[in-house]
Amino acid sequence: MTTTTDQEAALRIASGRKPLVEPLRLGERLKELRLANQWTLEDVSQRTGLARSTLSKIENDQISPTFTAVQKLINGLGIDLPQLLTPPRAQPRTMGRRDLTRSGGGQHHPTPTYEHELLSCELAQKRMIPFKTIVRARSFDEFSEWVRHDGEEFLMVLDGEICLYTEFYEPLALAQGDSIYFDSDMGHALVSVSDQDAVVLSVCTRADP
Amino acid sequence: MTTTTDQEAALRIASGRKPLVEPLRLGERLKELRLANQWTLEDVSQRTGLARSTLSKIENDQISPTFTAVQKLINGLGIDLPQLLTPPRAQPRTMGRRDLTRSGGGQHHPTPTYEHELLSCELAQKRMIPFKTIVRARSFDEFSEWVRHDGEEFLMVLDGEICLYTEFYEPLALAQGDSIYFDSDMGHALVSVSDQDAVVLSVCTRADP
DNA sequence: ATGGCGGGTTCACTATCGGAAACTGAGTTT
DNA sequence: AAACTCAGTTTCCGATAGTGAACCCGCCAT
């Protein structure tokens, strides 16, 4: 994570999105969303102001929409970009969901400073975002800005040793097995102080479910 | 077409996000990000594969980049889309609480089947409850009834191997590093299937205030 | 059948994007 | 002060996105 939002990014991705390096089947997703709401292309056209033909082409991956078009989409459909990018995962409203992630089987999302592995990303509607992170950063300087995101975060060091920099406190060394709970809108950043990259498990709260 | 506002609202609520009204000053944000990292347009051009001129125009809101261009940006810069769209301007009301728990320094709470160690118990008002558990139980029979509580639970096996019994699914073997997310009002119970007691980290959601 | 209709795709055209190169302006060097 | 460099802007043009209209279905009703 380079800046602020790596983790925030992680948070949003955790809605189940694929890593951004991949194709990002925008069209597929749009179609799914449209059909899920039983909208016709005309309906969506009305809502978004985009031409029917344009929508058709976007859905069939015949064109790459401009960003303004994407904005019209998210505004018109009353959704958020992460949601638009979130692969469809029709989750039943029934309770008793579960989502298994085998070791190493999460969604990897590398950045210069961190390497996130999102866990349990099959489940879209959940109140916590768990992810395992390999901390590559070795110096606080590698962050251009504080990481911050709404809510609270719990963190446990699984391997190695890290230093947790926070906006309002002195840097704090955390060894394997140590854990910390903090308000994540306070700027924070992790660097590894062990020989090898450190590994931490984080769980963030998610904006109201 | 269907009525809009209701479904729209429903969608929004379902997604748990606020509508995106603001213009999304992409160019501005990109420039901020670039300057924060002390990159020149040429640097970014190298990283993203987009032409210098194109980047300039994006920054100055002279063009609306296509979505493929945006993808090149987020890939090349090692960031995520939400990060690109999220102004680093921090929201003001940070409480900035934190609660450190050194390894083994939690509140121990033994039961016949489990031995819980509550983590971060200094903090009263929090939305997640993290705890480490040593699983002593070796057989499902040791439980007189299902464990269940409102909300959701995330669980990762830190050591050993366990079998997770749940009300609605077949028993599931989880080895070290495996994790699972589930609705915790579904009955559940853990037993260790490794030689020694297994250790798991759990995080539960807490009933909302 | 036949025709009308609603939903989606394709076509032809214009608007606009993306890239190479030329340009501007501020330093630096000679 | 001319020449050079470097960062960013602007220009020009080929490529492509966005649009309305035409077209192509499957469906329903005489």
Side-chain angles (χ1 to χ4, degrees):
Chain A
M1 82 166 67
T2 12
T3 79
T4 275
T5 22
D6 255 17
Q7 272 190 347
E8 177 165 352
L11 274 171
R12 309 233 179 180
I13 306 164
S15 14
R17 176 171 12 143
K18 298 174 178 136
L20 291 159
V21 233
E22 311 314 320
L24 267 196
R25 315 302 280 158
L26 187 70
E28 188 184 328
R29 177 65 185 130
L30 173 59
K31 184 160 196 171
E32 201 98 21
L33 204 65
R34 181 171 66 83
L35 296 180
N37 288 69
Q38 299 192 289
W39 288 327
T40 67
L41 286 181
E42 183 56 32
D43 291 336
V44 178
S45 173
Q46 298 281 342
R47 286 165 162 266
T48 61
L50 291 167
R52 231 173 47 237
S53 53
T54 307
L55 295 168
S56 169
K57 285 184 246 182
I58 294 176
E59 285 191 354
N60 297 357
D61 285 317
Q62 290 175 16
I63 62 173
S64 168
T66 59
F67 201 72
T68 52
V70 175
Q71 286 188 59
K72 286 182 185 173
L73 272 177
I74 59 186
N75 287 331
L77 299 182
I79 61 175
D80 197 346
L81 219 163
Q83 182 179 2
L84 185 59
L85 302 180
T86 299
R89 187 63 61 178
Q91 74 283 358
R93 290 275 156 178
T94 68
M95 288 300 110
R97 308 164 303 167
R98 70 169 196 188
D99 185 358
L100 168 69
T101 307
R102 291 295 179 190
S103 185
Q107 279 185 0
H108 291 261
H109 186 72
T111 76
T113 42
Y114 294 148
E115 175 156 347
H116 294 301
E117 178 188 355
L118 292 165
L119 308 172
S120 306
C121 13
E122 301 296 306
L123 230 49
Q125 296 284 82
K126 56 186 183 307
R127 306 206 13 217
M128 302 183 288
I129 313 293
F131 53 97
K132 198 157 80 176
T133 304
I134 298 170
V135 182
R136 285 207 277 249
R138 294 308 164 112
S139 153
F140 183 57
D141 303 332
E142 298 177 40
F143 297 88
S144 56
E145 41 189 27
W146 286 113
V147 179
R148 59 171 90 246
H149 42 91
D150 270 343
E152 304 167 14
E153 179 166 347
F154 170 75
L155 180 159
M156 176 178 272
V157 179
L158 297 182
D159 197 24
E161 186 170 353
I162 60 165
C163 185
L164 170 68
Y165 291 84
T166 49
E167 199 170 10
F168 305 141
Y169 296 90
E170 285 299 305
L172 188 60
L174 294 173
Q176 183 174 336
D178 292 348
S179 62
I180 191 164
Y181 196 109
F182 59 95
D183 288 321
S184 48
D185 51 357
M186 168 174 63
H188 54 285
L190 298 181
V191 306
S192 170
V193 295
S194 39
D195 289 344
Q196 74 289 27
D197 294 342
V199 180
V200 308
L201 174 70
S202 299
V203 184
C204 295
T205 60
R206 191 176 149 115
D208 56 297
Chain B
M1 109 169 198
T2 55
T3 62
T4 73
T5 39
D6 275 5
Q7 279 194 351
E8 194 171 323
L11 242 177
R12 204 176 302 139
I13 291 165
S15 74
R17 302 172 191 288
K18 55 179 191 248
L20 217 19
V21 232
E22 40 147 343
L24 286 185
R25 313 215 52 77
L26 184 66
E28 191 182 325
R29 176 70 184 125
L30 173 59
K31 185 160 195 170
E32 258 181 285
L33 207 62
R34 180 171 67 82
L35 296 180
N37 288 66
Q38 298 191 291
W39 289 326
T40 68
L41 286 182
E42 183 56 33
D43 292 336
V44 178
S45 172
Q46 300 280 348
R47 288 165 165 268
T48 61
L50 290 168
R52 226 167 55 239
S53 55
T54 307
L55 294 168
S56 167
K57 284 183 257 187
I58 293 176
E59 284 191 354
N60 296 4
D61 287 317
Q62 292 174 14
I63 63 173
S64 167
T66 58
F67 202 71
T68 52
V70 175
Q71 288 188 60
K72 286 183 187 174
L73 272 178
I74 59 188
N75 287 332
L77 300 183
I79 61 176
D80 198 340
L81 220 167
Q83 177 179 359
L84 191 58
L85 302 180
T86 305
R89 298 282 160 265
Q91 43 267 68
R93 64 161 171 14
T94 54
M95 298 212 280
R97 308 166 301 168
R98 72 169 196 189
D99 185 356
L100 168 70
T101 308
R102 290 296 178 189
S103 185
Q107 270 185 11
H108 290 263
H109 209 275
T111 76
T113 43
Y114 295 146
E115 175 157 346
H116 295 298
E117 177 188 354
L118 290 167
L119 308 171
S120 307
C121 19
E122 301 296 309
L123 230 48
Q125 293 283 87
K126 56 185 185 304
R127 300 189 42 197
M128 300 183 289
I129 303 173
F131 54 97
K132 198 156 81 176
T133 304
I134 300 170
V135 182
R136 285 208 278 251
R138 294 307 165 116
S139 154
F140 182 54
D141 303 332
E142 299 177 40
F143 296 88
S144 53
E145 51 187 9
W146 287 114
V147 178
R148 59 171 90 244
H149 42 91
D150 268 346
E152 303 167 13
E153 179 166 346
F154 170 77
L155 181 159
M156 175 178 272
V157 179
L158 297 182
D159 197 25
E161 185 170 354
I162 62 165
C163 183
L164 170 68
Y165 291 84
T166 49
E167 198 170 9
F168 306 141
Y169 297 90
E170 287 298 304
L172 191 59
L174 294 173
Q176 182 174 335
D178 293 348
S179 62
I180 191 164
Y181 196 108
F182 59 95
D183 288 321
S184 49
D185 52 355
M186 169 173 62
H188 55 285
L190 298 181
V191 305
S192 169
V193 295
S194 40
D195 291 343
Q196 75 289 29
D197 294 342
V199 180
V200 308
L201 173 70
S202 299
V203 183
C204 295
T205 60
R206 195 180 156 116
D208 262 308

